[in-house]
Amino acid sequence: MQRQTEITEPTLLLDKDGNLTKPGWCRKNLFIYNRDAITAPRCRIKEWDFYQIGNDRFVVQICFANISLGAAATATLINLRTGKTYSAGSLSLFTKNRYRLPDKSDQPHTFNYKKSGACLGINVTDKAHILQFEDTAGDKPFKMEFVLETMENHESITIATPFDLKGRFFYTNKINCMPATGKAVIGDEVFEFSKEDSFGVLDWGRGVWPYKNTWYWGNGCTRIDGKLFGFEITWGFGDESNATETAVFYDGKCHKIGPVDVEMSPVGRWMEPWAFKSEDGRFNFTMTPFYDNATGIKVLGLVGTSCHQVHGYWNGTAVLDDGTVLEVKDMYAFCERMENLW
């Protein structure tokens, strides 16, 4: 059975050689991000705050990413029923020494970016993540405002994963199950989101990545008997011998599960059902897709990304730490397969 090394006290992330001091996972972000200890070339550092907010009709993505060669503030709204997409953003080049993102994900902080008419604001408090974005999509004004609520003492999952190459690592915190209220306005169209059926997730990532990699990422949230339930499953890259980025959440608590995989590769069959099962049998779900958000671009086959983020309805069971079995019916959630050359 897969070992899961839990970090239970504040731990320095990197040693003097730029390697992880203690690969593992934690329920709170207990790692201390000593970025100055990175020994790999600074152009390999990649950092992002990525928020996704959705229901089974609309999805919003708000992101600031700095991959050293460049940085971008972007926002996208996807109509999952029609496939229509609105996007806006601003790009800055050669940013390895600019636009430093916060070193902590779950402590109060602010981050602001403004360039060429694009404005992005992130304000994290003890009770919420408050997001604002403003730009133009085509020739239409494009504005977003969202409040993502967090429960008191809400647990999440943080993981520090090494790669085979020395000095390479991925350090991430996924904060799930955040009821979302807000709206996106594009021209005279208004898209309202209610916390009754809309939820947000923060994908907070800091790391030094190898040039080529592929990952799977699945995430979702709903309510079961009035209590928040969600899951986080990520796999496909790095050395997972100390921990996997897999957990379920119920009523604010994290329940660690083992490695998760799909029954068969979805490549070339994106809109067919995906079957998921964890090694320990505690996560057993089938996703019936209804929309594939296929994105990506590759330049000369040397640099770029390719992603299929597939949205669907999930049915199955999750087992909590005390053995309680939760049955989940027709939960909206997603899973993506991403390829990177970066």
Side-chain angles (χ1 to χ4, degrees):
M1 191 70 69
Q2 170 74 49
R3 178 172 58 177
Q4 303 285 334
T5 301
E6 183 176 1
I7 307 301
T8 58
E9 59 185 14
T11 299
L12 199 65
L13 185 71
L14 302 174
D15 64 20
K16 61 181 178 59
D17 297 317
N19 299 311
L20 294 176
T21 62
K22 193 172 182 181
W25 74 280
C26 39
R27 304 170 193 271
K28 297 284 187 180
N29 192 349
L30 296 175
F31 288 105
I32 301 167
Y33 184 31
N34 52 333
R35 190 178 191 268
D36 291 341
I38 292 174
T39 56
R42 294 283 159 164
C43 63
R44 303 304 304 165
I45 300 174
K46 305 184 190 308
E47 302 178 331
W48 62 76
D49 288 12
F50 174 90
Y51 288 89
Q52 182 157 305
I53 303 152
N55 49 53
D56 66 356
R57 302 176 305 282
F58 306 106
V59 166
V60 160
Q61 298 170 338
I62 299 174
C63 179
F64 186 84
N66 188 341
I67 64 169
S68 299
L69 296 176
T74 60
T76 298
L77 183 140
I78 307 164
N79 187 326
L80 298 176
R81 299 307 182 186
T82 67
K84 190 169 185 180
T85 299
Y86 303 88
S87 294
S90 176
L91 174 67
S92 299
L93 296 176
F94 309 115
T95 55
K96 67 179 182 179
N97 296 316
R98 294 185 289 154
Y99 305 122
R100 176 76 177 268
L101 283 162
D103 292 340
K104 277 290 186 181
S105 53
D106 53 0
Q107 294 180 0
H109 64 264
T110 60
F111 177 80
N112 294 284
Y113 173 91
K114 185 174 183 180
K115 183 181 179 184
S116 303
C119 299
L120 170 65
I122 300 172
N123 180 21
V124 176
T125 72
D126 290 329
K127 297 182 178 179
H129 293 238
I130 303 161
L131 312 176
Q132 296 178 312
F133 183 88
E134 185 173 351
D135 199 3
T136 56
D139 59 352
K140 296 180 179 180
F142 189 11
K143 295 182 67 175
M144 292 184 177
E145 296 181 355
F146 287 93
V147 176
L148 280 57
E149 300 177 6
T150 54
M151 299 174 63
E152 187 176 0
N153 298 318
H154 186 185
E155 294 182 349
S156 58
I157 183 167
T158 300
I159 189 166
T161 304
F163 293 97
D164 291 337
L165 191 61
K166 298 296 183 183
R168 268 59 170 178
F169 66 91
F170 183 46
Y171 162 43
T172 183
N173 179 215
K174 300 294 197 302
I175 301 179
N176 203 18
C177 298
M178 294 189 285
T181 303
K183 63 183 178 181
V185 181
I186 299 101
D188 57 3
E189 294 185 83
V190 180
F191 301 86
E192 299 274 0
F193 291 73
S194 166
K195 65 181 180 181
E196 298 307 312
D197 69 349
S198 301
F199 304 96
V201 57
L202 168 61
D203 172 6
W204 185 94
R206 308 289 187 265
V208 181
W209 286 75
Y211 164 66
K212 184 177 181 180
N213 53 81
T214 299
W215 72 61
Y216 285 85
W217 175 38
N219 193 283
C221 179
T222 189
R223 288 186 177 87
I224 298 177
D225 298 328
K227 296 180 179 179
L228 290 171
F229 166 83
F231 66 84
E232 161 62 26
I233 53 174
T234 299
W235 74 96
F237 63 88
D239 177 1
E240 296 182 319
S241 60
N242 282 282
T244 54
E245 195 181 329
T246 49
V248 296
F249 307 93
Y250 186 61
D251 197 24
K253 299 300 180 183
C254 174
H255 301 258
K256 189 73 182 71
I257 60 175
V260 173
D261 204 348
V262 290
E263 187 175 72
M264 60 185 297
S265 171
V267 176
R269 46 177 293 274
W270 305 107
M271 296 302 291
E272 297 178 22
W274 298 30
F276 301 84
K277 191 170 184 178
S278 63
E279 180 186 74
D280 54 19
R282 293 177 57 187
F283 187 88
N284 195 344
F285 280 84
T286 297
M287 175 179 71
T288 303
F290 64 81
Y291 184 75
D292 174 17
N293 183 37
T295 58
I297 185 171
K298 292 184 179 179
V299 180
L300 301 176
L302 299 175
V303 178
T305 64
S306 175
C307 182
H308 287 264
Q309 189 183 80
V310 179
H311 301 256
Y313 292 111
W314 294 56
N315 288 272
T317 56
V319 181
L320 304 183
D321 289 344
D322 65 0
T324 299
V325 179
L326 299 178
E327 185 174 0
V328 181
K329 296 182 178 180
D330 295 329
M331 170 186 179
Y332 159 71
F334 71 89
C335 189
E336 71 180 27
R337 183 181 187 274
M338 169 76 86
E339 296 179 2
N340 290 300
L341 298 173
W342 61 351

